Amino acid sequence: MVGGAIGELCTCEGLGIEKHGDTLSQRKGVMKAKVELLRSNFADALLYRMSVTFFGWDVVYDDKSLVLELGAEQEPQQGDSYTMYHGTNVQTARLIITNGFRQSPDGMLGPGVYVSRNQQKAERYPLKALPSNRVVLQLRVNAGRVKRIDKDNHPMQKSWNAAGYDTAWVPPNCGMQSVPSGLEEDCVFDPQRVVVTSIAKAPNPTILAELKQLVSQKRAGIGRGGDMQVAVAGGVCTLCKRKTTPDHTHTLLPCWGCGQNICTLMTKHTCSASA
């Protein structure tokens, strides 16, 4: 009659159908109705067992507006934005988060903001600071036009900005004596191209929590209608990491479940409250 477990259950005796006094067609009709009822109840039971409360999503975009990351050993692409790091002391970290970066008046690559895509490089700074006073800021940097500086006394080592470049890049292991660590280094001329997005390392959990709170307060401001505007570093949303336009400001909203600040264009969000 019906194959599988449901068919085995649907015998005349199992369904309580009187075999005497009924026509064969009547018995078949009743049995068919019983089978459909069992199927419906079975499906409802599966649906009930599989139901979960969940807030979140996981999507894949088919365009190129998502900013892709390069490793520290790869040359920065013109006009792209990257996650970079900056090492400083605790008090200066507070000032940078609150007021933004200021140019170093001079350095190996001239004036600018010194950063690196290699976190280990940033962890070495400030050179004379104790480990208990070192902080590593995580940044979003719009590299703009990039000049490669890969040897000592490079003719444009300190004049690259005057030549129209926004960032100077020292590749790793290029042999420059002024970079004994051999780790990648960048100098961004305009501080407005650099935005703090998080804290990569702090001396202790208390300072880490304090600085992260400062970052959260700085990144989000109150916009029209009470929406919270997402900070943009060089035309890139700091939450979803997608390129923005002057006419399209991404808004920051709290997750209904966990309350975490999210951008609705993020590729993935898993709510901790529904885990």
Side-chain angles (χ1 to χ4, degrees), residues 50-102:
M50 294 172 63
S51 297
V52 293
T53 300
F54 176 76
F55 302 106
W57 64 86
D58 191 352
V59 300
V60 176
Y61 290 101
D62 58 2
D63 56 34
K64 295 182 179 180
S65 62
L66 180 65
V67 178
L68 300 179
E69 296 291 342
L70 295 179
E73 73 284 354
Q74 295 177 276
E75 184 168 0
Q77 302 300 303
Q78 308 291 344
D80 281 354
S81 296
Y82 302 93
T83 297
M84 297 193 186
Y85 304 91
H86 177 83
T88 187
N89 60 53
V90 175
Q91 182 55 33
T92 303
R94 295 187 181 106
L95 294 174
I96 291 173
I97 294 169
T98 303
N99 303 316
F101 276 96
R102 300 172 65 179

